Amino acid sequence: MSILVTGGAGFIGANFVLDWLAQHEEPVINLDKLTYAGNLENLASLQGDARHIFVHGDIGDSVLVSGLLTKHRPRAVINFAAESHVDRSIHGPREFIQTNIVGTFSLLESVRAHWEGLTGDTKACFRFLHVSTDEVYGSLRADAPAFSETNRYEPNSPYSASKAAGDHLVRAYHHTYDFPVLTTNCSNNYGPYHFPEKLIPLCILNALAGKPLPIYGDGRQIRDWLYVKDHCSAIRQVLEAGRVGETYNIGGRNELTNLEVVHTLCQLLDELAPPATRSLHFTSYRSLITFVKDRPGHDRRYAINASKLEGELGWKPQETFETGLTKTVLWYLENQSWITNVTSGAYRNWISRQYGT
Ligand code: NAD
Ligand code: TYD
C-alpha cells in the first residue's frame, strides 16, 4: 500500500511526508510542481529512501496523475498542493485560481475516475483528503465564537476565495458521486521549513539580519497558531478514522495578536541569539518592530473550534505556542544553509516588491 501526497515539497506537505515516513513503512508518492514555495531541500533527509518517490509535476496534469494512480495504486490521496500566500494572491490572483480551483477540479476528476474502477475493499477504503484553511470562513468579530464546521463560508481574499471554491468542489464530489472525501480546515501553522514570506519566519530572518519587523496596520489582528507537526498528526488521524464526507476544523486554541506573536518571538531571540553575539547594536530585537501599510481587506480575526476533531477522534496538539515557537526558532538558528538557499534571487524580488526595500 502507499499514499499519494500532492504539494509535499512545501512547508506543511514536507513536514507531513517527513513525519509519515518517521512513523510508517508505507511509501509516499510525492507529486509537486516545485513552484517558488516547493523546495526539495526540505526532503533532503529522505535521499536514498526507497519509500519516498518524488514526482515533479502539476496536479492539473491529468495524464500524469492518472498514470501515477494506475502505477502505484495508492490507498489515499492527500492534497496539500496550493498557492498559499494571501499577499501574493492580492498582487496576482491568477495562479491561485489555476491551482486551487482548476487544479483541484482536475485532480478530483483524475482521482474519481481511478476510484470508480476500483472494487471491493480497495474501493471502500479509498480516501481523498483535501487540506484547507480556516480563512474560508472569513473574519470574526472580537466577541464572536470560534469557527465551527457549520460556519458560513465568507472568504475575503483571492487566496481564501480560491480555497473556498476548491472545498466546494470536494464537497460536491462527495454529494454527487459518493466520492470518499475528507476535508480539513486548519488555522495558521508555524514551524520548520516555513517559507520566509509568512509572518513568523520572515520576522525570525529579518531580526537575525537586523532588519525591520514589518507589522501591517495596527498589529492587533488575531490569528490562531498551531505548530505544523500538530497539524500533521491531525491529518493522519482524520485520514485513518474521519467519517467520509465530513469536515474537521484543526486549531491549537492559541489566539494571539500579531504584535503578541512578534513580541514573544523577539523575547525568545533575545535569549537564544542575543543581538550582541551577532554584532547587532541594540539590546532587544523589539527595537526592530516597524508599523507598515496594512494589507488590503485584511481579516481581523481567525479562531478555530476544534472540538469535533478532539471529541470524535481524540486528537490533541502536543505543543503550546511557547514550546512550538522555541523549537521553530532553534530550527532556523541551526539551518543557516537552508535559509541562505531559499533567500536567493526570486525571494529578494518578492521582498522588495512587497516591502519596498
Ligand atoms: P506552501 O506554499 O508552502 O506549499 C505548497 C506546495 O504546493 C509547494 O511545494 C508547491 O510547489 C506545490 N504546488 C503548488 N501548485 C502546485 C500544482 N499545481 N501542482 C503540484 N504542486 C503544486 O503551502 P503550505 O503552507 O505548505 O500549505 C499547504 C496546504 O495547507 C495548502 O493547501 C494551504 O492552503 C493549506 N493550509 C496552510 C496553512 C498555513 O498556515 N500555511 C494553514 C491552513 C491550511
Ligand atoms: P501570514 O503569515 O501571511 O498568514 P495569513 O495571512 O494566512 O494569516 O500573516 C499572518 C498575520 O501577520 C496576518 O494578519 C498578516 C500579518 N503580517 C504582518 O503584519 N506583516 C507581514 O510582513 C506579514 C507577512 C504578515
Side-chain angles (χ1 to χ4, degrees), residues 101-279:
I101 306 179
V102 182
T104 300
F105 161 70
S106 179
L107 183 67
L108 280 166
E109 277 292 89
S110 307
V111 183
R112 180 173 73 88
H114 171 75
W115 169 77
E116 300 275 11
L118 301 176
T119 52
D121 276 357
T122 317
K123 185 169 190 182
C125 295
F126 190 87
R127 297 287 182 270
F128 181 95
L129 192 154
H130 179 64
V131 178
S132 191
T133 166
D134 60 356
E135 304 197 23
V136 296
Y137 298 121
S139 187
L140 279 173
R141 285 194 326 271
D143 58 349
F147 300 128
S148 76
E149 291 79 1
T150 53
N151 269 62
R152 250 174 67 165
Y153 270 35
E154 292 180 348
N156 290 320
S157 71
Y159 163 65
S160 54
S162 67
K163 290 296 292 185
D167 293 10
H168 286 323
L169 286 168
V170 171
R171 175 192 157 87
Y173 270 59
H174 175 65
H175 195 78
T176 307
Y177 306 112
D178 267 341
F179 186 53
V181 307
L182 296 156
T183 300
T184 56
N185 293 87
C186 189
S187 60
N188 284 64
N189 283 214
Y190 65 98
Y193 306 108
H194 205 180
F195 191 75
E197 63 187 355
K198 307 275 169 73
L199 179 70
I200 289 182
L202 178 85
C203 286
I204 297 175
L205 267 55
N206 279 12
L208 294 174
K211 293 182 183 163
L213 308 181
I215 304 286
Y216 296 163
D218 64 4
R220 301 198 186 280
Q221 304 81 4
I222 292 172
R223 297 292 182 266
D224 184 351
W225 294 92
L226 183 70
Y227 189 61
V228 63
K229 288 179 184 297
D230 283 325
H231 185 187
C232 295
S233 77
I235 292 172
R236 291 195 300 274
Q237 265 178 269
V238 172
L239 179 66
E240 297 317 330
R243 283 182 293 134
V244 167
E246 292 289 319
T247 288
Y248 293 89
N249 281 358
I250 308 173
R253 297 182 202 276
N254 281 313
E255 277 189 64
L256 295 165
T257 66
N258 294 336
L259 268 176
E260 285 169 331
V261 168
V262 175
H263 274 282
T264 309
L265 194 56
C266 289
Q267 193 182 325
L268 262 175
L269 284 165
D270 287 343
E271 288 160 21
L272 297 170
T277 63
R278 304 180 69 87
S279 310

Side-chain angles (χ1 to χ4, degrees), residues 30 36 54 88 90 224 243 320:
N30 183 354
Y36 78 92
F54 182 79
R88 285 189 194 252
I90 294 168
D224 184 351
R243 283 182 293 134
T320 64

